[in-house]
């Protein structure tokens, strides 16, 4: 026989109450949980079709209170993720770490499990979500997504909004094979530089390809760290001491390095400096010897999106597929040096790796044993082509004459 509503009896002060709500047509349980810091009484409510259901909800609510967890009934996975992004990553780079995590969460996490109540989320729910995403994402991306969920729930736990972290019970599945990084061969590298010649990104690409600096190291480079003349026997060089990472630190301690510049890089940077001074003067802006080497048209620092967009257009103009990325200029630097006979330990030093093992593991495309230095090698590699072009030009001039 089903329960029938009975007239509610007045409960004692501070006692739990269960009563029938004719408007909601359900039983309501009001739980007394003391007072908030502002003095307001805490008296949350739970609802159910029967008194038994309401009593069970009251019991579960009290258990959460006893464990110190006060998980809101309507607190969702999306709420947890957004709270972590807003409060759990304070001090991190907004465009770097936070931007990357926010983008991944907005594309692959929140649209799929964001509406789920966090207190009701199960390990099976997380498994099903990751299995679905595995058809579209690489294994590394799946691991990053799971890490975002784990850290978001952990942040909610520290705020007493979650009792347990079910994401810790799940392992990321194997996803689609990721696209391995590639390296430009010599002909492709020359084609890219030729296509970039009219672009304001030309000097940036020449420096990246012929000296091996990371894109995150080239963007914050300032003129006071660029030395284009030989002084006291020290050849032209660039001091790679900063990056766009938090606090301007380079990727590792050994990433802080001074690199000799090939002649072609020196010539291009000298031309770039003259052009930048003229551009500043035409806009009524003062050129600064401590200013950024590479900027936008308005003089603002370049960001990764600026570089990727312009590089994609340059690669397409060079007749290559637009799938190439700016960071692969560094891979190309390593491969070209290796082809030219530079030893592994020398390459590791030039690219700022903490050990040869890192160089061998990350850049294993064309590594070979060797014997010369980076700047000299790059002069040799690209000078051969320049000499050939000069000879062809001379022959054409003789023919015209």
């Amino acid at each position: 026989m089903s329960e029938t509503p009975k007239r509610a009896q007045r409960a004692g002060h501070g006692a739990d109450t269960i009563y029938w709500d004719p408007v909601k047509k359900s039983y309501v349980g009001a739980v007394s949980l003391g007072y908030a810091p502002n003095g307001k009484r805490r008296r949350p409510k739970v609802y159910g079709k029967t008194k038994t259901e309401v009593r069970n909800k009251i019991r579960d609510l009290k258990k959460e209170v006893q464990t110190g967890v006060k998980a809101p009934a309507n607190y969702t996975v999306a709420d947890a993720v957004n709270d972590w992004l807003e409060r759990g990553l304070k001090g991190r780079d907004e465009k770097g770490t936070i931007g990357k995590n926010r983008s991944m969460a907005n594309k692959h996490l929140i649209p799929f499990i964001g509406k789920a109540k966090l207190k009701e989320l199960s390990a099976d729910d997380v498994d099903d979500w990751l299995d679905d995403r595995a058809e579209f994402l690489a294994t590394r991306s799946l691991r990053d997504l799971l890490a975002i969920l784990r850290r978001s729930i952990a942040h909610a736990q520290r705020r007493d909004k979650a009792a347990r972290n079910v994401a810790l019970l799940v392992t990321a599945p194997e996803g689609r094979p990721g696209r391995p990084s590639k390296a430009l061969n010599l002909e492709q590298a020359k084609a890219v530089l030729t296509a970039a010649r009219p672009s304001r990104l030309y000097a940036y690409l020449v420096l990246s390809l012929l000296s091996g600096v990371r894109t995150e190291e080239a963007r914050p480079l300032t003129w006071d760290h660029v030395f284009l003349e030989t002084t006291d026997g020290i050849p032209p060089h660039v001091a790679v001491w900063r990056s766009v990472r938090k606090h301007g630190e380079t990727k590792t301690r050994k990433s802080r390095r001074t690199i000799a510049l090939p002649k072609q890089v020196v010539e291009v940077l000298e031309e770039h400096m003259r052009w930048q001074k003229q551009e500043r003067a035409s806009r009524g802006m003062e050129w600064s010897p401590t200013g950024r080497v590479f900027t936008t048209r308005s003089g603002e620092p370049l960001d990764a999106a600026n570089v990727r967009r312009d590089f994609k257009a340059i690669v397409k103009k060079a007749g290559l597929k637009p799938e190439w990325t700016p960071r692969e200029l560094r891979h190309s630097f390593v491969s070209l040096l290796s082809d030219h006979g530079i030893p592994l330990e020398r390459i590791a030093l030039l690219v700022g790796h903490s050990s040869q093992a890192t160089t061998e593991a990350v850049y294993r495309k064309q590594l070979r044993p060797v014997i010369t230095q980076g700047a000299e090698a790059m002069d040799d590699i690209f000078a051969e082509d320049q000499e050939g072009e000069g000879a062809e030009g001379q022959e054409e001039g003789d023919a015209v004459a």
Side-chain angles (χ1 to χ4, degrees), residues 153-316:
I153 299 177
H155 182 264
Q157 285 180 303
R158 292 192 293 271
R159 299 299 189 275
D160 295 334
K161 293 182 178 180
R164 64 175 186 151
N165 194 336
V166 296
L168 293 175
L169 307 175
V170 176
T171 302
E174 289 294 318
R176 298 178 60 183
R179 184 181 77 80
S181 294
K182 303 177 297 181
L184 297 165
N185 60 36
L186 183 55
E187 289 184 4
Q188 291 172 326
K190 290 175 179 177
V192 168
L193 293 184
T194 299
R197 190 67 183 86
S199 166
R200 67 185 299 111
L201 204 64
Y202 178 60
Y204 182 100
L205 299 186
V206 170
L207 177 67
S208 299
L209 180 60
L210 274 66
S211 69
V213 300
R214 296 178 176 90
T215 57
E216 66 194 45
E217 296 167 340
R219 295 202 305 276
L221 186 65
T222 53
W223 284 112
D224 56 335
H225 284 180
V226 178
F227 304 88
L228 301 178
E229 296 180 357
T230 299
T231 305
D232 297 329
I234 301 175
H237 60 279
V238 59
V240 182
W241 294 348
R242 293 179 57 79
S243 79
V244 292
R245 291 170 179 265
K246 182 63 178 174
H247 304 306
E249 294 296 330
T250 52
K251 189 172 184 180
T252 66
R253 182 177 58 83
K254 286 198 174 181
S255 293
R256 292 172 63 92
R257 61 204 188 280
T258 299
I259 306 171
L261 294 175
K263 294 178 181 178
Q264 184 174 345
V265 177
V266 173
E267 292 171 358
V268 169
L269 287 177
E270 287 175 340
E271 180 184 0
H272 182 71
M273 180 189 290
R274 289 192 296 270
W275 169 80
Q276 191 181 79
K277 288 180 177 179
Q278 292 173 358
E279 183 182 56
R280 291 283 193 281
S282 66
R283 293 175 179 269
M285 301 166 59
E286 185 177 351
W287 183 86
S288 171
T290 59
R292 296 285 181 107
V293 177
F294 307 110
T295 66
T296 63
R297 287 179 175 81
S298 60
E300 296 297 317
L302 288 177
D303 62 27
N306 297 139
V307 177
R308 284 195 301 268
R309 181 192 64 238
D310 292 348
F311 183 68
K312 186 175 182 179
I314 290 169
V315 167
K316 185 177 180 181

Side-chain angles (χ1 to χ4, degrees), residues 42 69 74 76-77 108 146 187 209 273 294-295 312 323 374 390:
R42 285 174 170 163
V69 177
N74 60 348
T76 65
V77 172
H108 301 291
L146 181 56
E187 289 184 4
L209 180 60
M273 180 189 290
F294 307 110
T295 66
K312 186 175 182 179
E323 61 188 23

